């Protein structure tokens, strides 16, 4: 069974999270933002943190605008999408993900390694095609057979 996709993005600043999530209806969800490490880039320089801290909840419209309209450098990032009106809870394992209302988990590790877990097969396919179209490296499906991740966090 396909769980999601993985790929590598360039290790530089840009609007990668917005690009990665382009085929997903980001604005239709509420997002649990992990307190990882990403920074705004202004005039080619690191500025303030992209997100203030762990456990922030963002509405999808605000998050989409932030990710598509700004440049930033990602070191570690954890984003989890929940349907509006549903309980937002931390999911730490794939089993917890399956048993929760969470619909998508996006993880970035060491600035370039991206893993996306998603419950909707059409969304997985669209995200896969988008990653290929953007020229990201090593785009592949995450399956029951090849998933080596033990938890759904970047730490």
């Amino acid at each position: 069974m396909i769980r999601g996709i993985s790929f590598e993005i360039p290790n530089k600043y840009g609007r990668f999270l917005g690009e990665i999530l382009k085929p997903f209806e980001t604005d239709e969800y509420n997002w649990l933002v992990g307190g990882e490490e990403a920074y705004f880039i202004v005039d080619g320089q690191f500025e303030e943190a992209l997100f203030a801290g762990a456990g922030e909840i963002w509405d999808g419209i605000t998050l989409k605008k932030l990710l598509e309209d700004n440049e930033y450098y990602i070191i570690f990032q954890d984003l989890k999408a929940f349907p509006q009106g549903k309980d937002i809870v931390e999911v730490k394992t794939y089993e917890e993900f399956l048993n929760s209302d969470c619909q998508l988990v996006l993880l970035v590790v060491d600035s370039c390694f991206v893993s996306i877990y998603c419950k909707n097969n059409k969304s997985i396919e669209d995200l896969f095609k988008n990653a290929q179209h953007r020229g990201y490296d090593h785009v592949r499906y995450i399956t029951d057979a090849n998933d080596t991740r033990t938890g759904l966090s970047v730490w």
Side-chain angles (χ1 to χ4, degrees):
M1 182 174 132
I2 294 175
R3 296 179 174 197
I5 64 172
S6 67
F7 51 90
E8 293 178 35
I9 57 176
N11 186 355
K12 61 183 185 178
Y13 65 83
R15 293 180 172 94
F16 292 110
L17 297 174
E19 291 173 2
I20 290 165
L21 289 170
K22 201 65 146 173
F24 192 74
E25 299 295 336
T26 307
D27 52 346
E28 293 183 9
Y29 294 86
N30 288 323
W31 293 79
L32 178 60
V33 178
E36 280 60 58
E37 194 171 4
Y39 299 95
F40 284 105
I41 300 295
V42 178
D43 297 325
Q45 301 294 315
F46 281 59
E47 291 289 329
E48 65 192 59
L50 187 62
F51 300 105
E56 289 186 317
I57 298 171
W58 285 61
D59 71 89
I61 293 169
T62 305
L63 182 72
K64 182 175 183 171
K65 184 170 177 44
L66 174 81
L67 299 180
E68 292 182 358
D69 293 352
N70 295 282
E71 289 195 319
Y72 40 86
Y73 182 73
I74 310 157
I75 299 172
F76 292 95
Q77 193 57 62
D78 176 339
L79 299 172
K80 295 180 173 102
F82 292 82
Q84 295 176 5
K86 296 290 186 175
D87 288 337
I88 297 175
V89 297
E90 182 60 63
V91 292
K92 296 181 182 180
T93 67
Y94 185 70
E95 184 175 290
E96 288 176 0
F97 170 67
L98 289 178
N99 293 320
S100 74
D101 289 318
C102 185
Q103 297 300 302
L104 180 138
V105 175
L106 187 154
L107 306 170
V108 180
V109 176
D110 290 340
S111 303
C112 57
F113 301 103
V114 178
S115 298
I116 301 174
Y117 292 82
C118 186
K119 290 180 179 173
N120 182 293
N121 288 335
K122 172 78 168 88
S123 293
I124 292 171
E125 183 179 324
D126 292 345
L127 291 161
F128 185 91
K129 288 177 183 175
N130 180 59
Q132 284 184 316
H133 173 75
R134 295 187 181 279
Y136 299 147
D137 292 331
H138 311 291
V139 181
R140 67 181 181 93
Y141 287 107
I142 300 170
T143 66
D144 291 343
N146 70 6
D147 191 4
T148 59
R149 184 175 284 284
T150 58
L152 294 182
S153 71
V154 296
W155 302 109

